[in-house]
Amino acid sequence: MEPPGARPRSPASEAAEPPGSPALPAEEHPPAAQEAKRRGPGPQGPAECGARAGAGDGREPGGRARRPRVTVDSSKAKTSLEALKISLRQLRWKEFPCGRRLPCDIYWHGVSFHDNDIFSGQVNKFPGMTEMVRKITLSRAVRTMQYLFPLEYNFYPRSWILPDESSFFEKEIRVMKDRDPSWKPTFIVKPDGGCQGDGIYLIKDPSDIRLTGGLQSRPAVVQEYICKPLLVDKLKFDIRLYVLLKSLEPLEIYIAKDGLSRFCTEPYQEPTLKNLHQVFMHLTNYSLNIHSGNFIHSDNANTGSKRTFSSILCRLSSKGVDVKKVWSDIISLVIKTIIALTPELKVYYQSDIPSGKPGPTCFQILGFDILLMKNLKPMLLEVNANPSMRIEHEKELSPGVFENVPSPVDEEVKVAVIRDTLRLVDPHKQKKKDVHSQTLEHVSDAKEELLDAGPPERLDHDVSTAPEAGLPSLCLKQVFPKYAKQFNYLRLVDRVAALFIRFLGVKGTTKLGPTGFRTFIRNCKLSNSNFSMASVDILYIDITRRWNSVGIDHKESGMCWQAFVEAFFFLAQKKYKSLPLPEQVASLIDFCEYHLAVLDEKRLVCGRGIVERRNALVTCQTDGLQLTPAAHTPLLNRMATASKLADYRNHQY
């Protein structure tokens, strides 16, 4: 295990297909073939409510029974509907555009997990994801990781949360300017709930923050502005990269091999008091720049104000840039960001889908906005829970008259992302794998029968007639758990989240009550003569009251997740004073997990003993024998306990 702060080995160096290589360009097709590939098989007419055409009599050509197709409810898809329809036609899956009384295999939501009441199948949103990637919540999650691993999380600009940290922000900037009078910083202010560039502006001094509307009613994040971005054609640009979070437990992450590069529409100059207001120079948001007279719509992926990321990589490669290193750094940024988000996301997840209760499984496509600096270091700008999946843009035909026009660049990237996401979550694939594995167990016994059955194309598992036959290779590349060995040491806070969730008590809640916190302290043996239960209560009240005063959600009372993290770090520093913070936290996690493992085993043994005594009582009453006390089994095997403790210690660096 690598020590904290150490740079992990490059993921690109281990990949069979190096993630650093530019995404392969689309294959050349004649115009007619291109249109057929884009639209996929099936009718081109208007969609009807219910299953799409093609059900037929349920049989394949040649008389074989048609395989059941995956069913998808697209009634809540909103702006991603057109790209989803194309993807479903290419996959030959059944679409239900107006919903369905019977359960579907997959539900495609346009906004959040709660767009519809789902009790089974799969849904393309995680509960809590929208809240998790809001600017303030994201900044807090990354900041927690920066406390533990400052070198590993230096890809996120220094941030302050307004209005809670306004005075601290002003004081810190004043101290830094006094220390270095030549430092002339620029800051960017982003409203917490803003999107598409809404409400973003640049300032030179903390006193320039606009108070219009009041920060209390619209909190914001202020960040140090990145003044030296990489330029292409003298223009600033950012990267929209699509990331699939396929599973939360176990963690499974995929990254699209291609993305979009969104360009500003005015040549870039470093910010000055004269050009701070020029949004077309400083802000890369597509929704802003599309209103510029310089915006260029292009059908070519290599030109225009929106291009494919692969075209930028090819251009950089031609100038001698190590694009494999660029990709490797981006992959590291994505994995580390997801690791920062997952602890609190698990808290939200268990609130909506409690463990042990029936419910849907979740996956989600996220939009990572990344800026390359002049030195090619990637910086995270923000994460979008609902990245735009529109594959057309509005064109003004005459003043006030607009028409939706296809955007080939958007379609090339986004349709592939949606289609291949569906391929990865295909619920029938797992069933096929299970059947196939069972078949392999009997291959040796039935070898002659298989040979007599005829050529391979006659078998039911013939891939030539499979729905995916003829589709391109997946555009999504797995990066976790593929590179888990390099990044698992960062997942300390994930283990803290497991402790928090264990003591929440009431299912469906996201806040820890005072009884739950006292139980946590007691079960983990954290109280002593120097830290009494009265001190525990004071700690709980102090931290909870402070976080509830700055929190947005006041629906529940109790200790929120971030407050628990602060309390846990405080306890770690109190108990292990001589160690650095990461080791303090890791040691306290080991300590807590050890005592909880001991407690769980005691309960297991006691429960087993009660059952045995009940069985013995029934036997004695049946046989007319006198019940004698059974020999007590030891509560805990000492060697097993020592082994558990050693295993927990191995989680450290």
Side-chain angles (χ1 to χ4, degrees):
M1 191 67 67
E2 297 183 26
R7 181 180 184 85
R9 291 169 293 164
S10 166
S13 64
E14 295 189 7
E17 177 191 347
S21 58
L24 295 174
E27 296 179 354
E28 295 289 337
H29 295 282
Q34 280 187 341
E35 178 63 18
K37 179 185 176 184
R38 185 177 84 87
R39 293 296 173 189
Q44 302 300 321
E48 296 180 358
C49 294
R52 300 194 64 83
D57 60 356
R59 305 195 66 80
E60 295 277 5
R64 288 192 299 269
R66 185 187 298 276
R67 297 177 184 84
R69 289 188 291 172
V70 179
T71 56
V72 180
D73 183 335
S74 63
S75 61
K76 303 291 183 180
K78 296 187 181 292
T79 58
S80 62
L81 182 59
E82 185 59 29
L84 177 63
K85 285 181 179 292
I86 295 174
S87 300
L88 294 177
R89 284 196 289 266
Q90 292 179 0
L91 294 171
R92 301 175 186 172
W93 289 5
K94 287 184 180 180
E95 179 195 357
F96 291 86
C98 296
R100 184 192 192 197
R101 289 185 179 181
L102 294 174
C104 282
D105 295 311
I106 295 173
Y107 295 84
W108 196 273
H109 290 180
V111 179
S112 76
F113 175 82
H114 297 287
D115 283 358
N116 216 338
D117 293 330
I118 308 299
F119 303 101
S120 63
Q122 299 183 77
V123 60
N124 71 316
K125 301 292 180 186
F126 279 94
M129 183 65 81
T130 302
E131 292 80 5
M132 271 309 307
V133 299
R134 289 172 71 100
K135 295 174 179 63
I136 287 180
T137 318
L138 174 64
S139 296
R140 283 179 175 153
V142 174
R143 183 184 294 178
T144 298
M145 299 304 294
Q146 287 175 333
Y147 288 151
L148 293 169
F149 308 103
L151 295 179
E152 294 291 355
Y153 280 84
N154 62 0
F155 56 79
Y156 192 67
R158 188 165 23 185
S159 306
W160 297 266
I161 295 168
L162 306 179
D164 304 333
E165 299 172 357
S166 296
S167 58
F168 176 70
F169 170 52
E170 294 175 6
K171 181 179 178 181
E172 187 171 2
I173 299 306
R174 185 166 57 250
V175 169
M176 294 176 70
K177 284 185 175 181
D178 292 342
R179 191 180 301 161
D180 182 8
S182 64
W183 185 51
K184 305 292 183 183
T186 302
F187 305 97
I188 183 167
V189 182
K190 304 177 180 179
D192 181 47
C195 61
Q196 299 181 335
D198 176 43
I200 298 178
Y201 60 95
L202 273 59
I203 60 173
K204 277 290 189 180
D205 190 84
S207 61
D208 298 332
I209 293 176
R210 301 172 192 167
L211 298 177
T212 306
L215 284 171
Q216 294 291 348
S217 61
R218 196 180 190 191
V221 169
V222 58
Q223 295 179 324
E224 194 169 353
Y225 181 74
I226 300 168
C227 294
K228 296 188 181 296
L230 178 69
L231 304 180
V232 170
D233 299 331
K234 298 182 180 181
L235 298 172
K236 179 181 175 180
F237 70 97
D238 74 354
I239 305 159
R240 165 61 60 83
L241 200 61
Y242 298 96
V243 175
L244 170 63
L245 181 56
K246 184 173 180 285
S247 170
L248 197 56
E249 191 62 54
L251 185 60
E252 196 168 348
I253 308 169
Y254 291 77
I255 297 181
K257 297 178 183 178
D258 204 356
L260 297 172
S261 297
R262 292 94 54 90
F263 281 76
C264 287
T265 47
E266 290 183 9
Y268 179 77
Q269 298 174 7
E270 290 197 21
T272 64
L273 290 174
K274 292 183 178 180
N275 66 30
L276 282 182
H277 65 283
Q278 297 184 26
V279 294
F280 298 146
M281 175 188 295
H282 295 293
L283 303 184
T284 54
N285 304 73
Y286 167 79
S287 55
L288 293 177
N289 282 279
I290 195 173
H291 299 293
S292 167
N294 297 327
F295 191 93
I296 301 173
H297 290 288
S298 175
D299 292 346
N300 190 326
N302 303 307
T303 60
S305 297
K306 185 188 286 188
R307 314 176 194 179
T308 59
F309 180 44
S310 58
S311 71
I312 302 298
L313 288 176
C314 288
R315 186 164 176 172
L316 294 176
S317 180
S318 67
K319 295 182 178 180
V321 171
D322 185 357
V323 294
K324 289 186 179 181
K325 172 67 166 53
V326 173
W327 255 119
S328 178
D329 290 344
I330 290 175
I331 289 172
S332 295
L333 178 153
V334 168
I335 294 175
K336 291 172 185 175
T337 302
I338 296 291
I339 286 175
L341 293 174
T342 50
E344 190 167 2
L345 192 59
K346 288 181 179 179
V347 175
Y348 282 110
Y349 190 88
Q350 66 79 34
S351 174
D352 279 280
I353 311 176
S355 177
K357 287 193 175 182
T361 56
C362 304
F363 63 94
Q364 188 156 351
I365 298 171
L366 301 173
F368 274 65
D369 290 349
I370 298 170
L371 183 74
L372 287 179
M373 296 178 64
K374 192 173 182 180
N375 61 3
L376 298 176
K377 177 182 177 179
M379 298 293 289
L380 177 66
L381 299 181
E382 61 183 52
V383 180
N384 295 270
N386 299 305
S388 171
M389 285 295 176
R390 291 189 62 177
I391 55 175
E392 66 279 332
H393 62 84
E394 287 185 342
K395 182 178 181 181
E396 190 170 15
L397 302 179
S398 59
V401 179
F402 294 88
E403 179 186 30
N404 284 334
V405 178
S407 172
V409 176
D410 285 291
E411 185 171 324
E412 177 183 338
V413 174
K414 295 175 182 178
V415 169
V417 169
I418 291 179
R419 180 195 65 223
D420 292 350
T421 292
L422 292 171
R423 291 165 72 183
L424 286 169
V425 302
D426 182 352
H428 292 178
K429 270 189 175 181
Q430 187 58 47
K431 295 177 184 177
K432 293 173 187 175
K433 288 179 182 177
D434 294 341
V435 172
H436 185 58
S437 62
Q438 292 174 8
T439 303
L440 289 178
E441 293 177 2
H442 305 286
V443 164
S444 58
D445 298 333
K447 188 174 181 180
E448 292 183 5
E449 286 80 358
L450 286 173
L451 291 174
D452 293 339
E457 61 269 17
R458 300 283 303 204
L459 298 177
D460 284 343
H461 60 271
D462 176 16
V463 296
S464 65
T465 59
E468 289 195 4
L471 291 176
S473 60
L474 288 171
C475 75
L476 294 164
K477 181 179 183 63
Q478 188 192 83
V479 296
F480 200 96
K482 183 171 185 177
Y483 304 127
K485 289 183 179 179
Q486 293 98 295
F487 298 97
N488 269 340
Y489 73 97
L490 298 173
R491 302 187 69 185
L492 282 182
V493 187
D494 236 30
R495 295 164 65 194
V496 178
L499 297 174
F500 180 74
I501 292 170
R502 174 175 175 140
F503 291 97
L504 280 176
V506 180
K507 291 184 177 181
T509 184
T510 60
K511 291 191 176 181
L512 185 65
T515 303
F517 189 71
R518 287 172 65 92
T519 306
F520 158 68
I521 295 293
R522 192 181 299 112
N523 288 0
C524 294
K525 310 294 183 185
L526 296 178
S527 61
N528 51 44
S529 58
N530 296 323
F531 189 60
S532 65
M533 293 307 293
S535 300
V536 170
D537 292 337
I538 293 172
L539 175 67
Y540 176 87
I541 293 170
D542 179 53
I543 293 180
T544 300
R545 183 179 296 165
R546 180 156 37 82
W547 275 95
N548 286 346
S549 68
V550 302
I552 298 174
D553 180 16
H554 298 288
K555 296 177 183 178
E556 295 181 58
S557 61
M559 177 179 275
C560 67
W561 158 248
Q562 288 291 343
F564 182 80
V565 171
E566 181 182 331
F568 195 90
F569 282 21
F570 170 81
L571 294 169
Q573 291 170 312
K574 184 179 180 66
K575 189 172 181 64
Y576 303 99
K577 296 178 181 178
S578 61
L579 299 176
L581 181 60
E583 294 183 29
Q584 289 174 335
V585 173
S587 297
L588 185 59
I589 293 171
D590 290 343
F591 186 84
C592 293
E593 289 177 342
Y594 167 72
H595 283 289
L596 292 175
V598 171
L599 181 63
D600 289 343
E601 190 153 345
K602 282 183 179 180
R603 290 172 175 170
L604 180 63
V605 171
C606 289
R608 196 178 297 150
I610 291 172
V611 172
E612 289 174 355
R613 285 196 292 273
R614 285 176 179 170
N615 292 338
L617 178 61
V618 171
T619 303
C620 291
Q621 290 174 342
T622 303
D623 297 341
L625 300 176
Q626 183 179 0
L627 180 64
T628 58
H632 291 288
T633 307
L635 290 181
L636 191 63
N637 185 297
R638 298 293 180 184
M639 294 181 63
T641 306
S643 176
K644 281 179 178 291
L645 182 57
D647 290 341
Y648 288 130
R649 291 295 181 192
N650 288 335
H651 281 295
Q652 294 189 55
Y653 309 93

